[in-house]
Amino acid sequence: MRVIKQYERGLVFRFGRVQSRLREPGLTFIRPVADRLEKVNMQIVTMPVPAQEGITRDNVTVKVDAVVYFMVIDPALAIVKVQDYKFAVGQVAQTSLRSIIGKSDLDDLLSNRERLNQGLEMMIDNPALEWGIHIDRVEIKDVALPESMKRSMSRQAEAERERRARVISADGELQASHKLAQAAATMADTPAALQLRLLETVVEVAAEKNSTLVLPFPVELLRFLEAASHGDVGVVKRPPSGGDVTPGS
């Protein structure tokens, strides 16, 4: 008499030949001397994959470790086809992980792990199906980078943030210039608006209780002086025969 637990299945070898009927959980009977019972665990096995060092497609040396979740779906194949199915799955996982590292870029390893997990699961599941093993899921745990690469990525992130700050500042200046151009056009059409703006500026400066008040010089007065300087000035013309002197214009 043998007892098989709920999460196990029994595989009977009779004179070395495997029997097709699996023994279900509970109490089971085998023939003495002739039969040998092999119990197979049907639970999901969690297997950590040791960190594998490799070179990515963009020539960066990294160390990547993962974890594999698998379970036995065919006890006969798992016992007969492979000597140690746990060791076999572990070796296939390490080889597949190295292959994934060589085919991927560093950015994919850091930000696109879901797609890499699916690809790694397919690579491990293909040979495991022949051994009666089903790969439930595969996940990349950690990606270890060299210190020099970490510093380079830190400088890159800092430069990217500075670039965004400059772009935002330039965009603000552009929007402000458009608004100032619209305000200037409005004030040009309405001269009284310019005077009101001047008075508002004087009020803002006076509110600070400063001892010195600076007033802008009117641009219209400068234009008037410029026009006057280019006009004709009084010139004295003498007659050819010594007559009266008459001012010329």
PDB file of all heavy atoms in Angstrom, residues 1-2 13-15 29-36:
ATOM      1  N   MET A   1       0.843  -1.194   0.000  1.00  0.00           N
ATOM      2  CA  MET A   1       0.000   0.000   0.000  1.00  0.00           C
ATOM      3  C   MET A   1       0.881   1.248   0.000  1.00  0.00           C
ATOM      4  O   MET A   1       1.884   1.322   0.715  1.00  0.00           O
ATOM      5  CB  MET A   1      -0.922   0.021   1.235  1.00  0.00           C
ATOM      6  CG  MET A   1      -1.976  -1.063   1.233  1.00  0.00           C
ATOM      7  SD  MET A   1      -3.100  -0.866   2.641  1.00  0.00           S
ATOM      8  CE  MET A   1      -1.960  -1.032   4.009  1.00  0.00           C
ATOM      9  N   ARG A   2       0.461   2.186  -0.813  1.00  0.00           N
ATOM     10  CA  ARG A   2       1.171   3.450  -0.892  1.00  0.00           C
ATOM     11  C   ARG A   2       0.135   4.578  -0.815  1.00  0.00           C
ATOM     12  O   ARG A   2      -1.003   4.417  -1.281  1.00  0.00           O
ATOM     13  CB  ARG A   2       1.983   3.581  -2.192  1.00  0.00           C
ATOM     14  CG  ARG A   2       3.111   2.572  -2.312  1.00  0.00           C
ATOM     15  CD  ARG A   2       4.230   2.876  -1.327  1.00  0.00           C
ATOM     16  NE  ARG A   2       5.375   2.018  -1.552  1.00  0.00           N
ATOM     17  CZ  ARG A   2       5.539   0.827  -0.968  1.00  0.00           C
ATOM     18  NH1 ARG A   2       4.597   0.358  -0.154  1.00  0.00           N
ATOM     19  NH2 ARG A   2       6.596   0.094  -1.203  1.00  0.00           N
ATOM     20  N   PHE A  13       6.242   1.605 -12.404  1.00  0.00           N
ATOM     21  CA  PHE A  13       7.130   0.853 -13.285  1.00  0.00           C
ATOM     22  C   PHE A  13       7.023  -0.620 -12.901  1.00  0.00           C
ATOM     23  O   PHE A  13       7.316  -1.004 -11.758  1.00  0.00           O
ATOM     24  CB  PHE A  13       8.582   1.324 -13.127  1.00  0.00           C
ATOM     25  CG  PHE A  13       8.848   2.687 -13.675  1.00  0.00           C
ATOM     26  CD1 PHE A  13       8.645   3.819 -12.892  1.00  0.00           C
ATOM     27  CD2 PHE A  13       9.296   2.842 -14.974  1.00  0.00           C
ATOM     28  CE1 PHE A  13       8.894   5.072 -13.393  1.00  0.00           C
ATOM     29  CE2 PHE A  13       9.547   4.103 -15.484  1.00  0.00           C
ATOM     30  CZ  PHE A  13       9.338   5.227 -14.689  1.00  0.00           C
ATOM     31  N   ARG A  14       6.584  -1.444 -13.842  1.00  0.00           N
ATOM     32  CA  ARG A  14       6.429  -2.878 -13.606  1.00  0.00           C
ATOM     33  C   ARG A  14       7.504  -3.613 -14.394  1.00  0.00           C
ATOM     34  O   ARG A  14       7.500  -3.619 -15.626  1.00  0.00           O
ATOM     35  CB  ARG A  14       5.045  -3.344 -14.023  1.00  0.00           C
ATOM     36  CG  ARG A  14       4.771  -4.834 -13.802  1.00  0.00           C
ATOM     37  CD  ARG A  14       3.290  -5.104 -13.920  1.00  0.00           C
ATOM     38  NE  ARG A  14       2.554  -4.393 -12.858  1.00  0.00           N
ATOM     39  CZ  ARG A  14       1.223  -4.264 -12.860  1.00  0.00           C
ATOM     40  NH1 ARG A  14       0.494  -4.777 -13.848  1.00  0.00           N
ATOM     41  NH2 ARG A  14       0.629  -3.625 -11.867  1.00  0.00           N
ATOM     42  N   PHE A  15       8.435  -4.176 -13.638  1.00  0.00           N
ATOM     43  CA  PHE A  15       9.610  -4.819 -14.226  1.00  0.00           C
ATOM     44  C   PHE A  15      10.330  -3.855 -15.186  1.00  0.00           C
ATOM     45  O   PHE A  15      10.799  -4.244 -16.258  1.00  0.00           O
ATOM     46  CB  PHE A  15       9.239  -6.116 -14.950  1.00  0.00           C
ATOM     47  CG  PHE A  15       8.775  -7.189 -14.035  1.00  0.00           C
ATOM     48  CD1 PHE A  15       7.435  -7.576 -14.052  1.00  0.00           C
ATOM     49  CD2 PHE A  15       9.645  -7.804 -13.145  1.00  0.00           C
ATOM     50  CE1 PHE A  15       6.986  -8.575 -13.205  1.00  0.00           C
ATOM     51  CE2 PHE A  15       9.189  -8.803 -12.294  1.00  0.00           C
ATOM     52  CZ  PHE A  15       7.863  -9.190 -12.306  1.00  0.00           C
ATOM     53  N   PHE A  29      -2.484   0.568  -4.454  1.00  0.00           N
ATOM     54  CA  PHE A  29      -1.833  -0.722  -4.211  1.00  0.00           C
ATOM     55  C   PHE A  29      -0.903  -1.040  -5.375  1.00  0.00           C
ATOM     56  O   PHE A  29      -1.236  -0.797  -6.543  1.00  0.00           O
ATOM     57  CB  PHE A  29      -2.868  -1.830  -4.064  1.00  0.00           C
ATOM     58  CG  PHE A  29      -3.772  -1.660  -2.883  1.00  0.00           C
ATOM     59  CD1 PHE A  29      -4.978  -0.963  -3.002  1.00  0.00           C
ATOM     60  CD2 PHE A  29      -3.430  -2.184  -1.651  1.00  0.00           C
ATOM     61  CE1 PHE A  29      -5.809  -0.805  -1.917  1.00  0.00           C
ATOM     62  CE2 PHE A  29      -4.273  -2.020  -0.557  1.00  0.00           C
ATOM     63  CZ  PHE A  29      -5.456  -1.325  -0.678  1.00  0.00           C
ATOM     64  N   ILE A  30       0.251  -1.548  -5.049  1.00  0.00           N
ATOM     65  CA  ILE A  30       1.200  -1.994  -6.068  1.00  0.00           C
ATOM     66  C   ILE A  30       1.620  -3.414  -5.734  1.00  0.00           C
ATOM     67  O   ILE A  30       1.513  -3.872  -4.593  1.00  0.00           O
ATOM     68  CB  ILE A  30       2.433  -1.075  -6.147  1.00  0.00           C
ATOM     69  CG1 ILE A  30       3.178  -1.074  -4.804  1.00  0.00           C
ATOM     70  CG2 ILE A  30       2.042   0.332  -6.555  1.00  0.00           C
ATOM     71  CD1 ILE A  30       4.488  -0.298  -4.855  1.00  0.00           C
ATOM     72  N   ARG A  31       2.118  -4.103  -6.730  1.00  0.00           N
ATOM     73  CA  ARG A  31       2.560  -5.481  -6.538  1.00  0.00           C
ATOM     74  C   ARG A  31       3.961  -5.488  -5.916  1.00  0.00           C
ATOM     75  O   ARG A  31       4.843  -4.762  -6.375  1.00  0.00           O
ATOM     76  CB  ARG A  31       2.590  -6.242  -7.858  1.00  0.00           C
ATOM     77  CG  ARG A  31       1.237  -6.356  -8.525  1.00  0.00           C
ATOM     78  CD  ARG A  31       1.352  -7.085  -9.846  1.00  0.00           C
ATOM     79  NE  ARG A  31       0.054  -7.171 -10.511  1.00  0.00           N
ATOM     80  CZ  ARG A  31      -0.130  -7.752 -11.702  1.00  0.00           C
ATOM     81  NH1 ARG A  31       0.907  -8.301 -12.332  1.00  0.00           N
ATOM     82  NH2 ARG A  31      -1.327  -7.797 -12.233  1.00  0.00           N
ATOM     83  N   PRO A  32       4.156  -6.233  -4.916  1.00  0.00           N
ATOM     84  CA  PRO A  32       5.502  -6.294  -4.329  1.00  0.00           C
ATOM     85  C   PRO A  32       6.493  -6.931  -5.297  1.00  0.00           C
ATOM     86  O   PRO A  32       6.135  -7.762  -6.131  1.00  0.00           O
ATOM     87  CB  PRO A  32       5.304  -7.161  -3.081  1.00  0.00           C
ATOM     88  CG  PRO A  32       4.070  -7.946  -3.332  1.00  0.00           C
ATOM     89  CD  PRO A  32       3.201  -7.102  -4.226  1.00  0.00           C
ATOM     90  N   VAL A  33       7.712  -6.480  -5.219  1.00  0.00           N
ATOM     91  CA  VAL A  33       8.841  -6.954  -6.036  1.00  0.00           C
ATOM     92  C   VAL A  33       8.696  -6.517  -7.492  1.00  0.00           C
ATOM     93  O   VAL A  33       9.623  -5.974  -8.091  1.00  0.00           O
ATOM     94  CB  VAL A  33       9.017  -8.492  -5.954  1.00  0.00           C
ATOM     95  CG1 VAL A  33      10.203  -8.933  -6.799  1.00  0.00           C
ATOM     96  CG2 VAL A  33       9.170  -8.949  -4.512  1.00  0.00           C
ATOM     97  N   ALA A  34       7.544  -6.688  -8.095  1.00  0.00           N
ATOM     98  CA  ALA A  34       7.383  -6.401  -9.522  1.00  0.00           C
ATOM     99  C   ALA A  34       7.230  -4.910  -9.800  1.00  0.00           C
ATOM    100  O   ALA A  34       7.725  -4.403 -10.813  1.00  0.00           O
ATOM    101  CB  ALA A  34       6.181  -7.155 -10.075  1.00  0.00           C
ATOM    102  N   ASP A  35       6.534  -4.152  -8.931  1.00  0.00           N
ATOM    103  CA  ASP A  35       6.214  -2.748  -9.201  1.00  0.00           C
ATOM    104  C   ASP A  35       7.104  -1.818  -8.376  1.00  0.00           C
ATOM    105  O   ASP A  35       7.513  -2.146  -7.249  1.00  0.00           O
ATOM    106  CB  ASP A  35       4.747  -2.467  -8.879  1.00  0.00           C
ATOM    107  CG  ASP A  35       3.802  -3.191  -9.819  1.00  0.00           C
ATOM    108  OD1 ASP A  35       4.279  -3.708 -10.852  1.00  0.00           O
ATOM    109  OD2 ASP A  35       2.594  -3.237  -9.520  1.00  0.00           O
ATOM    110  N   ARG A  36       7.344  -0.667  -8.992  1.00  0.00           N
ATOM    111  CA  ARG A  36       8.023   0.431  -8.293  1.00  0.00           C
ATOM    112  C   ARG A  36       7.258   1.710  -8.567  1.00  0.00           C
ATOM    113  O   ARG A  36       7.001   2.041  -9.723  1.00  0.00           O
ATOM    114  CB  ARG A  36       9.482   0.569  -8.743  1.00  0.00           C
ATOM    115  CG  ARG A  36      10.256   1.661  -7.988  1.00  0.00           C
ATOM    116  CD  ARG A  36      11.718   1.654  -8.410  1.00  0.00           C
ATOM    117  NE  ARG A  36      11.852   1.983  -9.825  1.00  0.00           N
ATOM    118  CZ  ARG A  36      11.944   3.235 -10.304  1.00  0.00           C
ATOM    119  NH1 ARG A  36      11.883   4.264  -9.461  1.00  0.00           N
ATOM    120  NH2 ARG A  36      12.078   3.441 -11.590  1.00  0.00           N
TER     121      ARG A  36
END
